[in-house]
Amino acid sequence: MDAGWDRTRGIARRVGRGIADAGRATARAGRATAGGTARAGRATARGARSVGRATRRLTYAGGAGRTGLGRLIELSAGNSAGDALVTVALASTVFFGVPVGEARGAVALYLVITMLPFALLAPFVGPILDRLRSGRRYVMAGTLFGRGLLCFAMAAAVGPGDLPTLFIGALGVLVLSKAYNVSRAAIMPNVLPADITLVSANARVALFTLVAAGAAVPLAAGLTAWLGSAVALRVAMVAFLLLGVAAVRLPRHVDSPDLEEEGTKHRWRTLLKVGPAVAEAVWANLAIRVFSGFLLFFLLFLVQDQAVPWLGQRAESFFDVPRTIALLAGAAGLGGLAGAAVANWTRNHAPQLIVLATLAVTVVTTVVTAVLFGVWAALAVSLITAFAQELGKLALDAIVQREIGEEVRSSTFGVVEAVLQLAWVFGGLVGLVFSLARDPFAGLVSLAVVLAAALGWLVFARARRTRLAAADAPTAEYPSPAAPEQDHGPSGHQGHGPSGHQGHGLSGRGDALDSTKPLTNPHG
């Protein structure tokens, strides 16, 4: 009996020691896990701080920290990331999962609906922003706060599938995003450091916004796949609200004083007299935007319909439909980044020549792609078109900022943004129609002819304008007008008389000054 109790006590002691040892091992494992987690957290925090400091050094370089350009770059990068969150969330909710046979009608309807707010609101947004130029910080903050509220409404509409609310909210976000871009472009001369040109400053903003959007897209896709579109929209809401607070904290000199300049009563007439340099840049960018919209939807539906040669023998080809679409999207993104980077390097070149060069490169690439159409040609034309669109738009922004006066700058940017958006929508609709023929050669050749005609007309008009300017003999009262291709440093306002256009008025002749023509930036 005693021996049995002894054995039982021995077994119990051994079990107890085993339990105690297991508990101590569990505690040690828990402490090790907690220590590892803490060390990983500290390493992540150190990495984030290092990345933040490196980013701050880049954004504040060249005196951008003193003038407020660095803070504007950071704000614009956050704005771009928020727009990417909204785009991914709405795409996974509304625009994906549509059969190819029905997709053309849905995309065409979306393009038409997208066009309407710009056609209706473009004549009013710019003048309103011009009247509020003494409070541009608050205008920018209002566009961010407004998008935050719209994201809240769209997040509530995702669950019940309220499509009207989602479409209206998406259009509101799109319009407010364009209003933010107009305000940001209009204040750029106010935060321009002395050692940076307008093209370089615009390129720096574009580069950081593209990088921020590219980093936000996979994060937004993962968040949407994990927690759903509603959560992604709520995260975007919080981001926009925080960005709105940051916009209010921009430097005060971002705002311009409300001064009654001579010719203010002719505001609407002034918008029609932007000068030959701005008009030439706008027409060139319009041609590139039409081709960009065309190429996107033309190639997309050709690939979806497998009407391209490399998808005819899928068993022998690495490229299938998803991989082809991914590669085309990647090429377009890489082209946009390259355009922003090259614009930062072209600080000593005239933006007018950059605009024409981008159009010429697009024409040549389109012709070569039509003749040698294949997967690599399609990737090349996607990359070069995105490159030309980004570089040409940055040069156009610099020309408008240099040539258009403070009193109508926002109005001009509003009209320019609207017509470029309409051109892109028109090109997309043309691409949808041409994709029905399933003939890559015919579509690309047709657009190449249109682009070549636009380039030829612009070159002819420029040569004619140059001959007229050279024929005018300079006088003491009216000095010789400068050549259009001269770039005038960071501010771009050296001479050219009160009208601010290379020469005196629209014709380049030495006629009397017209108070209805836009004035140059008074800070130049």
Side-chain angles (χ1 to χ4, degrees):
M1 190 68 157
D2 292 337
W5 279 109
D6 290 340
R7 285 195 300 272
T8 302
R9 284 195 296 269
I11 293 172
R13 282 195 297 270
R14 287 193 295 271
V15 171
R17 285 195 297 268
I19 292 174
D21 291 340
R24 287 192 292 270
T26 302
R28 287 194 298 271
R31 287 193 296 269
T33 302
T37 303
R39 287 191 295 272
R42 288 193 293 269
T44 302
R46 286 194 298 270
R49 285 195 295 269
S50 300
V51 172
R53 286 193 294 267
T55 303
R56 178 61 61 89
R57 285 195 296 269
L58 291 174
T59 55
Y60 280 38
R66 296 190 303 270
T67 63
L69 176 60
R71 293 166 68 178
L72 182 62
I73 292 173
E74 294 172 349
L75 181 66
S76 298
N79 169 77
S80 178
D83 284 340
L85 271 172
V86 175
T87 301
V88 173
L90 291 180
S92 62
T93 303
V94 180
F95 304 112
F96 285 174
V98 181
V100 176
E102 303 174 10
R104 283 186 175 84
V107 170
L109 178 62
Y110 172 73
L111 288 174
V112 172
I113 294 175
T114 302
M115 186 190 305
L116 290 178
F118 292 97
L120 296 177
L121 298 178
F124 306 102
V125 172
I128 291 174
L129 295 178
D130 278 327
R131 290 184 180 277
L132 299 175
R133 63 181 182 270
S134 61
R136 279 178 174 150
R137 290 178 299 163
Y138 302 101
V139 171
M140 297 172 70
T143 63
L144 293 164
F145 288 140
R147 275 180 280 174
L149 296 177
L150 289 173
C151 287
F152 177 78
M154 288 188 292
V158 167
D162 188 359
L163 291 181
T165 301
L166 289 173
F167 271 108
I168 293 173
L171 292 177
V173 168
L174 186 60
V175 172
L176 290 177
S177 178
K178 291 296 182 181
Y180 172 87
N181 291 332
V182 167
S183 299
R184 190 266 306 160
I187 68 174
M188 186 66 73
N190 295 351
V191 296
L192 187 69
D195 298 330
I196 301 177
T197 63
L198 283 170
V199 176
S200 297
N202 291 328
R204 188 179 295 186
V205 173
L207 187 61
F208 278 94
T209 55
L210 288 171
V211 170
V217 166
L219 295 177
L223 182 63
T224 302
W226 181 29
L227 298 175
S229 299
V231 174
L233 288 170
R234 290 189 178 97
V235 172
M237 174 195 72
V238 174
F240 281 128
L241 294 179
L242 293 176
L243 290 170
V245 176
V248 176
R249 296 170 59 86
L250 286 173
R252 286 187 182 224
H253 61 265
V254 165
D255 302 328
S256 300
D258 275 331
L259 300 176
E260 293 296 329
E261 303 92 346
E262 183 183 0
T264 302
K265 61 183 179 180
H266 301 291
R267 178 179 303 272
W268 295 101
R269 184 182 172 193
T270 305
L271 289 176
L272 302 177
K273 295 191 175 184
V274 293
V278 176
E280 178 183 86
V282 169
W283 279 111
N285 275 270
L286 280 175
I288 296 174
R289 284 299 176 96
V290 169
F291 182 68
S292 175
F294 166 85
L295 189 68
L296 171 63
F297 294 99
F298 183 67
L299 289 182
L300 175 63
F301 283 102
L302 284 181
V303 172
Q304 289 281 10
D305 294 337
Q306 300 186 22
V308 289
W310 63 88
L311 294 178
Q313 299 176 345
R314 296 184 59 181
E316 302 177 5
S317 176
F318 167 80
F319 300 100
D320 56 6
V321 172
R323 287 172 180 169
T324 300
I325 293 177
L327 288 173
L328 290 173
L334 183 61
L337 287 173
V342 170
N344 192 38
W345 296 335
T346 57
R347 62 192 68 185
N348 296 324
H349 295 79
Q352 291 94 337
L353 296 181
I354 293 174
V355 169
L356 292 178
T358 56
L359 181 56
V361 169
T362 305
V363 172
V364 174
T365 306
T366 306
V367 173
V368 173
T369 304
V371 175
L372 305 175
F373 187 74
V375 61
W376 299 114
L379 292 175
V381 74
S382 299
L383 187 146
I384 293 176
T385 301
F387 168 83
Q389 176 178 308
E390 186 67 27
L391 182 57
K393 179 59 168 60
L394 293 173
L396 170 62
D397 287 346
I399 293 171
V400 173
Q401 290 159 352
R402 187 186 69 186
E403 298 292 329
I404 302 300
E406 183 78 24
E407 69 279 5
V408 290
R409 189 179 296 146
S410 293
S411 301
T412 306
F413 270 116
V415 173
V416 168
E417 289 287 344
V419 296
L420 291 181
Q421 181 69 22
L422 295 177
W424 186 85
V425 170
F426 176 74
L429 293 174
V430 174
L432 287 177
V433 174
F434 272 86
S435 67
L436 294 173
R438 302 165 66 96
D439 187 352
F441 179 79
L444 291 172
V445 168
S446 300
L447 266 292
V449 170
V450 173
L451 292 176
L455 177 63
W457 174 64
L458 290 174
V459 170
F460 173 78
R462 182 182 181 84
R464 181 174 179 273
R465 190 170 66 248
T466 303
R467 287 196 303 269
L468 290 175
D472 291 329
T475 62
E477 183 179 0
Y478 299 106
S480 175
E485 55 269 10
Q486 290 180 350
D487 195 359
H488 302 290
S491 62
H493 305 290
Q494 296 180 4
H496 304 319
S499 68
H501 300 295
Q502 296 114 344
H504 309 285
L506 297 181
S507 65
R509 298 178 182 276
D511 51 3
L513 298 179
D514 187 352
S515 63
T516 65
K517 295 184 174 64
L519 303 175
T520 55
N521 180 9
H523 304 289

